[in-house]
Amino acid sequence: MEDETIMECKSESTTTETQHTQSAESEKLDVPVEENGAESTLETKHKLSKKKLIVIAAAVAVIAIAVALLIPSKFERVKSECVQIAGRVVGSGNYFMIDTYPDEYENMDSAMVALLAPSAQENALEAIQYANDALGFNGSVYSQMMKTTALMGRQSAETDKYKVSWTYHPDNGLEVTYEKK
């Protein structure tokens, strides 16, 4: 029985010495040592943190793209607001047009046009003022629009990001086109 106890002590002592030796050697060589099935070096932790950073960066990129696609551009928001103000805006994509005398009036009864035209013109002019302000056009642009005659042809103004052009004819009213550059 004593012999067995001595053998067990020697065996435990040898195992402990071997573990210390392996641990010291692995620190010098930066080789992972497995203790109870798990790696215990900084390298493993570093690998995990790199993986976590990559996953986090990918998630942030996906969220940023989703936000960019779901939130309408300033130009789209202005167009949408002009539809609310004027009731009617023509165009899609990189341009839209506001007309103070829409084409549908040409086929209507003159009494109906006389009834609808004043409020439609007023709403369209309000939408034009809003769009000019929201897209950064100088206040003088609206004044120029109001002074345009049929003989002047198409007029235009630009900002860094947008272009507006307009024309006037007594039979067709003021037609204003906004474009994204």
Side-chain angles (χ1 to χ4, degrees), residues 131-151:
N132 284 353
D133 291 340
L135 296 176
F137 291 100
N138 190 318
S140 67
V141 172
Y142 184 76
S143 178
Q144 292 170 12
M145 289 175 174
M146 295 299 104
K147 294 177 183 174
T148 302
T149 65
L151 297 174

Side-chain angles (χ1 to χ4, degrees), residues 2-173:
E2 249 180 65
D3 289 337
E4 287 179 23
T5 308
I6 294 172
M7 289 290 272
E8 284 180 26
C9 288
K10 281 187 177 180
S11 175
E12 286 178 19
S13 171
T14 307
T15 305
T16 306
E17 287 175 14
T18 306
Q19 286 176 347
H20 286 297
T21 306
Q22 284 179 344
S23 179
E25 287 176 6
S26 68
E27 286 176 13
K28 291 178 187 172
L29 300 175
D30 198 24
V31 176
V33 174
E34 291 192 17
E35 293 177 6
N36 298 329
E39 292 184 356
S40 65
T41 66
L42 291 175
E43 184 177 316
T44 304
K45 291 179 184 177
H46 187 65
K47 284 181 185 178
L48 287 176
S49 62
K50 278 187 180 179
K51 287 179 183 178
K52 285 180 184 177
L53 285 174
I54 291 171
V55 169
I56 291 170
V60 168
V62 167
I63 290 169
I65 291 170
V67 167
L69 293 175
L70 295 176
I71 296 176
S73 68
K74 179 178 183 176
F75 190 77
E76 289 296 321
R77 289 191 308 266
V78 169
K79 178 183 173 186
S80 178
E81 186 63 27
C82 287
V83 169
Q84 296 298 316
I85 296 169
R88 182 175 186 277
V89 171
V90 178
S92 63
N94 291 335
Y95 85 97
F96 68 92
M97 187 176 87
I98 302 171
D99 192 349
T100 61
Y101 193 86
D103 292 338
E104 359 358 292
Y105 286 2
E106 292 175 10
N107 299 324
M108 283 187 183
D109 178 52
S110 60
M112 185 63 99
V113 171
L115 182 66
L116 295 175
S119 66
Q121 289 174 346
E122 185 178 313
N123 292 343
L125 290 174
E126 184 181 338
I128 291 167
Q129 283 181 312
Y130 170 79
N132 284 353
D133 291 340
L135 296 176
F137 291 100
N138 190 318
S140 67
V141 172
Y142 184 76
S143 178
Q144 292 170 12
M145 289 175 174
M146 295 299 104
K147 294 177 183 174
T148 302
T149 65
L151 297 174
M152 296 172 84
R154 183 160 289 280
Q155 304 290 305
S156 65
E158 295 186 23
T159 66
D160 292 340
K161 296 181 181 180
Y162 309 105
K163 177 181 179 182
V164 62
S165 60
W166 65 94
T167 186
Y168 174 80
H169 190 277
D171 295 337
N172 300 329

